[in-house]
Amino acid sequence: MEGAAERGVLAMLVVLAGLAACGSGSEIIEGPKNVTALKGSEARFNCTISQGWKLIMWALRGTVVLSVTPNGSIITSDRFTSASYQEGGNFISEMIIHDVQLSDAGQVKCSLQNSDQDGAAFLSVQVVGQLLIPGGSLVVTEDNPCNVTCRALNWTPLPGLSWEIGVPVSHSSYYSIPEPEDLQSVESILALTPQGNGTVTCVAEMKGLDVRESVTVRLTVVQPPLEPSYQSEIRKSATVKTSKDTLGTKLEIGNENYGYHSDEPRTIHEWLGLDTEPASLHDKSSEASVPEQRSSRQPHQESNHRQLGPANHPPVSFNMGSPKKVRNVTLV
């Protein structure tokens, strides 16, 4: 392959050297026009020349890649070939670029040997990348807003993204934003509120070419749950338990109600705040009956000489309403 290319270049140089001496009296009537091509496709450029030409040269990005003589073409690479036509006495030379690459983008020039005239155009190369909706088919809840994301990866230039909605909805809208870390990628986010099953389709269209790529996913719409989910029940149980624990803590640390009175009969000891320790059986029997004491002393003498104390006051028994319980109290 390399040997054939070298021989082609050598032959072209020989022809050019011979034509340089002959000169050329033709001119370029119409040069090539701008072309936009997809990567991997073909790009064609035409150059219309008047009669009398000797050598036509085609250059891509400043390098001659194809030469045409009245006897045929001098090909240096299989990616660049030529075709020719006659039109109204003029000659049309066509250069065909096969398997266009992104690196081919640039200026294309048609020129004549020993002439200052040339015709120039520009080759634009576009790349169709991937188009996808992550996750594939989706299951969504009826009347519950949701988002569907579409991503276009490795496109040159960035395509325009739009949506075709094949489901009943109460609301829908979308917007597109470039990927911040990838200048050749863009994503579109569709927001909708579905009301039934169907499909949504993301469409990518390339500017300058009739390129249309699309991807479709199915939306399955389910009814909202009638009962709380398991997680909701767990959270509810935890909340009830926390409330009970808090209430119990408050009861334990609550203030004493000093205004509370028991319905149980109270003894005189309890009313007077005296010691309520029950007396022994001996004390109860000995204090059950108290004889009346008399004294012949005068009241004023008694007050002067008698010592005050519990011994000077006989014990008194009170029955507080319970025949089975007898409480003794000593009055001071």
Side-chain angles (χ1 to χ4, degrees), residues 116-151:
D116 295 333
Q117 289 186 332
D118 59 39
F122 195 87
L123 171 62
S124 299
V125 180
Q126 297 185 346
V127 179
V128 175
Q130 294 177 292
L131 186 67
L132 54 92
I133 296 178
S137 298
L138 304 174
V139 177
V140 296
T141 304
E142 183 180 2
D143 286 328
N144 188 30
C146 64
N147 292 337
V148 184
T149 301
C150 177
R151 301 187 67 193

Side-chain angles (χ1 to χ4, degrees), residues 1 17 34 49 59 68 79 81 127-129 153-154 169 195 217 227 244 251 253 255 269 273 287 308 310 328 332:
M1 183 71 179
N34 295 338
I49 303 169
V68 181
R79 293 185 59 234
T81 61
V127 179
V128 175
L153 306 177
N154 302 319
V169 298
Q195 295 182 318
V217 297
E227 297 180 359
K244 289 183 178 180
L251 291 176
I253 64 175
N255 297 327
H269 290 75
E287 296 177 1
L308 298 177
N328 297 318
V332 181

Side-chain angles (χ1 to χ4, degrees), residues 15 42 51 61 81 92 118 122 158 167 241 270 278 280 285:
V15 172
E42 292 183 351
Q51 295 294 334
R61 297 169 59 94
T81 61
I92 299 176
D118 59 39
F122 195 87
L158 293 179
V167 295
K241 184 177 183 302
E270 293 173 327
S280 64
S285 61

